[in-house]
Amino acid sequence: MDFRGQYPHIICMRPPPPDTPANPEQKLSYQLKSFGRLWPYMWSGGGLRDRIRIIAAIILTLVSQIILVIAPFGVGYSVDAVKAALDAGSIWADSAVVIIGLIFGYGGLKLLSTVLNEAREYIFAPVGQRAQREVATATFAHLHKLSLRFHLEKRTGGLSRIIERGIRSIDFLFRFLLFNIGPTFLLLAFSCTALMLAYSWEYAAIALVVVVAYVWFTFATTEWRLKFRREMNKQDTEANAKAIDSLLNYETVKYFGAEEFETARYDSAMAIYQRAAIKSRTSLATVNIGQSFLMNAGIVALLILASYQILGGALTVGAMVTIPLVMQQVYRPLNILGFAYREIKQALTDMEKMFALLDLQPEVTDREDATPLTDVKGRIVFDNVHFRYEPDREILKGISFTAEPGQTIAIVGPTGAGKSTLSRILYRFYDIDGGSVTIDGVDIRDAQQLSLRQRIGIVPQDTVLFNAGIGYNIGYAKEGASQAEIEEAARAAQIHDFITGLPKGYDTQVGERGLKLSGGEKQRVAIARTLLKNPPILILDEATSALDNTTEREIQAALDNARGGRTTLVIAHRLTTITGADKILVMEDGHIVQQGTHDELLRQGGLYEELWARQGEMA
């Protein structure tokens, strides 16, 4: 499924930003643009129903804030009513009903405000969860569109952390900005208005000045503390990447007895994380003290002003209760302002990194007029192909050959000659620098990548399996394959008897990257998987290199059957496996230096004869 088409507002193939902007203003601008890219996604992604949910959640938020402002005034009126009753000589006067009603009314209003807030959460939760799911799916789909070069250069552990944090940031940002930070400033505006209307403008001015000072102090000190948080995240990512890399290479670590070295590497990253974490947490004390001072100074100032006006007869005693309650309701959500600011900044950074991934252009893309590759006969032509992985090192230097439908073309040569590069180019994992590669006369750059890869099957030299059952790994080649089809492919690959001899049969878990299977067993699973795919073009990249001689002969027969009617490219290390090939290409330093049948090449002498003689000596 093409998720770019499904979520066009998320995956916009813009030119990638070269790096995160270094200038703070540019960085903030870029982060805000990233946030802006989420809004149409949040607003439009779920359709009318989710728009109604968002509007309803905002309305509930507004109502709950108004209730919070009104409630303290009821308590103030209750105090005045009590005082009036006492002055009249009886607390059970007619005003008692009003007093009790106002007191219980305050609790009822506070409860109602809480209920409205929770109702808002109930309404908005599906919107936030849908957003996370769809962005996660879109990001996952986009990563599979990026080039092989990108994935070879990136650490999977670090990449997964970037995606995980970016997805989490979406729900956090909307929840905090819409339902925590936004409502807090609304509450401030409502409270200042109420104080000004009920008492005088001085109360609103003091409240506003204190809140502005509080916000400025919080932002300034939190920005100072953010450098420690950034270092913590950096070292957390580094430690996680090292841990995953080490565990994926578990056997290599054991081979070289490098457990202590790997542990020391991980501990070194965690030690730096520890130092940054300590600085981050101890610096929090400074922030808390400053915030508490400003908060209490504001309340004291308001109470002094209220006391002066009460003594002057301008206010009633109830104001001494109302004013602190109103301000405490404003200050209470401000307690998390430092946390919210830090988390929002971090969430913006995480989201920025995720969108930087989404902004990366795939190195290999379909042309606008690309067409599906159908009814493939299997005629492959490499015409003067030049290719390099890096600008300063050419790998293929004018490669030309033709494979007719049904032919088996073997490719041999010393390590580094460019043999496996041919398969990567045929799969179009990379685009060539010069020349052309055609299948049945169609340049592979004019064909849709998906259709191209559906017509090619490969048994790679290094087989990597999913951490799932053997049956799942074989059936991966054909969606919806029946158990009978999977078992038929396993029989053809000479692995069915081995699988059925296992306690869990085809449900046997193979472990991370197939770690629980031997090299030969993994390769036979790969062969079965390719046989199930049943492609018209077959690539065998040293497909029997991990097998013993007996098993190799058994599987070679299966591969010979699989090659029937298919165009097959065999990249071979063991020359004994390709003596029957229709044509053998001998590569050296990016060139084809010889070609012909096995017998023709032996008569020619040269590199092929040397390789044949060398393997004969080693046999």
Side-chain angles (χ1 to χ4, degrees):
M1 185 179 291
D2 186 354
F3 287 100
R4 276 180 61 193
Q6 187 172 350
Y7 310 124
H9 45 280
I10 286 294
I11 300 181
C12 306
M13 299 312 295
R14 300 175 173 82
D19 285 300
T20 300
N23 184 293
E25 293 182 1
Q26 292 178 342
K27 182 179 178 68
L28 179 59
S29 175
Y30 183 78
Q31 289 175 337
L32 292 177
K33 286 180 181 177
S34 295
F35 180 73
R37 289 172 64 179
L38 275 180
W39 175 248
Y41 166 73
M42 179 71 76
W43 180 252
S44 306
L48 180 61
R49 182 170 58 181
D50 276 6
R51 293 180 194 176
I52 293 174
R53 284 180 177 275
I54 292 172
I55 293 171
I58 292 173
I59 291 173
L60 289 176
T61 300
L62 290 171
V63 173
S64 69
Q65 301 310 301
I66 292 172
I67 290 173
L68 283 177
V69 174
I70 292 173
F73 285 92
V75 177
Y77 294 144
S78 296
V79 171
D80 289 337
V82 169
K83 184 176 183 302
L86 289 172
D87 291 343
S90 173
I91 62 172
W92 300 109
D94 293 338
S95 58
V97 175
V98 177
I99 295 169
I100 295 171
L102 288 172
I103 292 173
F104 281 97
Y106 173 76
L109 287 174
K110 292 282 287 183
L111 176 61
L112 178 60
S113 177
T114 300
V115 170
L116 291 177
N117 280 331
E118 294 305 317
R120 176 200 68 201
E121 292 292 325
Y122 177 82
I123 290 172
F124 185 76
V127 180
Q129 291 303 313
R130 175 191 55 77
Q132 290 186 80
R133 175 178 60 83
E134 293 186 1
V135 171
T137 303
T139 305
F140 183 78
H142 180 67
L143 286 175
H144 279 84
K145 295 179 185 295
L146 296 179
S147 66
L148 177 63
R149 190 193 311 273
F150 170 83
H151 287 282
L152 291 176
E153 292 175 353
K154 288 289 184 180
R155 285 185 172 183
T156 305
L159 190 63
S160 67
R161 250 347 179 15
I162 290 173
I163 298 168
E164 177 188 348
R165 288 174 178 158
I167 292 168
R168 278 205 316 259
S169 69
I170 295 168
D171 183 63
F172 177 85
L173 281 171
F174 275 94
R175 192 174 298 280
F176 258 72
L177 291 177
L178 290 179
F179 304 134
N180 289 85
I181 302 302
T184 297
F185 288 104
L186 276 177
L187 182 61
L188 172 63
F190 293 157
S191 298
C192 288
T193 302
L195 289 173
M196 183 171 62
L197 294 176
Y199 304 125
S200 67
W201 65 268
E202 291 95 335
Y203 294 93
I206 292 173
L208 185 61
V209 168
V210 171
V211 170
V212 169
Y214 182 96
V215 171
W216 173 84
F217 173 81
T218 300
F219 284 3
T221 53
T222 303
E223 189 66 41
W224 162 63
R225 296 184 65 240
L226 271 177
K227 59 185 178 182
F228 305 127
R229 181 61 179 264
R230 293 191 188 103
E231 183 65 19
M232 286 167 56
N233 281 339
K234 176 184 175 183
Q235 294 307 319
D236 179 42
T237 299
E238 182 70 18
N240 185 65
K242 287 178 178 177
I244 290 178
D245 191 36
S246 179
L247 292 174
L248 288 177
N249 288 276
Y250 172 83
E251 288 189 62
T252 304
V253 173
K254 289 295 184 182
Y255 290 153
F256 295 95
E259 294 91 340
E260 290 187 7
F261 171 75
E262 291 296 328
T263 302
R265 272 209 320 158
Y266 180 76
D267 184 61
S268 176
M270 290 302 296
I272 301 174
Y273 170 85
Q274 176 188 339
R275 289 194 292 271
I278 290 171
K279 290 179 181 178
S280 177
R281 295 187 181 184
T282 54
S283 63
L284 183 61
T286 302
V287 179
N288 289 339
I289 292 172
Q291 288 176 333
S292 180
F293 171 78
L294 290 171
M295 226 183 257
N296 288 290
I299 293 177
V300 168
L302 288 169
L303 289 177
I304 290 173
L305 178 61
S307 299
Y308 175 78
Q309 292 188 344
I310 289 171
L311 292 175
L315 290 182
T316 61
V317 176
M320 292 292 286
V321 177
T322 300
I323 292 170
L325 285 177
V326 170
M327 294 315 300
Q328 282 177 5
Q329 290 184 157
V330 174
Y331 290 152
R332 188 177 297 112
L334 288 177
N335 275 329
I336 65 165
L337 188 61
F339 164 79
Y341 176 72
R342 182 181 71 246
E343 293 299 317
I344 288 171
K345 288 275 288 184
Q346 185 59 50
L348 285 171
T349 300
D350 293 338
M351 189 171 60
E352 167 200 346
K353 291 179 179 178
M354 182 184 68
F355 276 114
L357 287 176
L358 288 171
D359 281 333
L360 286 174
Q361 294 275 9
E363 184 178 337
V364 179
T365 58
D366 286 341
R367 293 174 176 175
E368 289 186 5
D369 58 349
T371 56
L373 194 62
T374 58
D375 193 26
V376 173
K377 305 300 182 186
R379 187 174 192 267
I380 302 171
V381 178
F382 276 64
D383 183 14
N384 194 29
V385 172
H386 290 261
F387 175 76
R388 64 190 72 214
Y389 292 108
E390 302 295 339
D392 57 349
R393 185 188 173 201
E394 191 172 21
I395 303 299
L396 301 182
K397 306 170 183 178
I399 296 294
S400 296
F401 69 89
T402 299
E404 298 295 342
Q407 275 192 333
T408 296
I409 305 297
I411 305 164
V412 302
T415 301
K419 303 187 297 297
S420 293
T421 299
L422 295 178
S423 66
R424 291 177 173 179
I425 287 174
L426 190 60
Y427 258 100
R428 207 177 164 217
F429 288 152
Y430 300 94
D431 275 335
I432 56 179
D433 299 320
S436 67
V437 179
T438 62
I439 296 178
D440 294 349
V442 178
D443 193 308
I444 61 174
R445 290 169 292 193
D446 295 327
Q448 293 176 357
Q449 294 176 70
L450 179 60
S451 68
L452 169 68
R453 291 164 189 158
Q454 285 174 337
R455 288 358 180 234
I456 305 173
I458 186 170
V459 180
Q461 177 182 2
D462 181 21
T463 299
V464 178
L465 302 179
F466 291 97
N467 189 4
I470 295 178
Y472 173 88
N473 277 280
I474 296 175
Y476 193 78
K478 182 180 178 181
E479 187 175 357
S482 67
Q483 183 63 27
E485 290 176 308
I486 292 172
E487 291 181 9
E488 182 181 353
R491 286 190 184 93
Q494 307 291 327
I495 196 174
H496 173 73
D497 291 342
F498 164 76
I499 297 172
T500 54
L502 297 170
K504 294 186 179 180
Y506 280 87
D507 293 327
T508 301
Q509 299 293 302
V510 302
E512 191 84 40
R513 298 173 65 88
L515 189 65
K516 294 181 180 179
L517 299 181
S518 70
E521 290 160 357
K522 285 198 296 183
Q523 240 164 350
R524 281 186 284 177
V525 169
I527 292 170
R529 184 162 57 187
T530 303
L531 292 173
L532 180 61
K533 186 177 183 181
N534 195 26
I537 297 173
L538 185 62
I539 300 174
L540 305 177
D541 189 353
E542 301 195 18
T544 59
S545 62
L547 307 179
D548 57 69
N549 291 332
T550 302
T551 307
E552 179 186 0
R553 285 193 295 270
E554 294 173 351
I555 292 184
Q556 198 62 48
L559 291 175
D560 289 340
N561 292 332
R563 280 186 285 208
R566 294 185 176 88
T567 304
T568 306
L569 299 184
V570 183
I571 300 168
H573 173 69
R574 296 183 183 178
L575 302 187
T576 54
T577 63
I578 48 91
T579 55
D582 296 298
K583 186 190 297 182
I584 300 173
L585 308 179
V586 185
M587 292 188 64
E588 184 178 29
D589 191 28
H591 297 280
I592 295 177
V593 295
Q594 288 180 286
Q595 56 182 303
T597 65
H598 172 70
D599 293 335
E600 290 171 347
L601 291 173
L602 286 180
R603 287 196 296 269
Q604 289 177 18
L607 179 58
Y608 185 80
E609 184 185 35
E610 292 177 15
L611 294 173
W612 180 262
R614 195 177 306 157
Q615 288 200 9
E617 293 172 0
M618 296 171 61

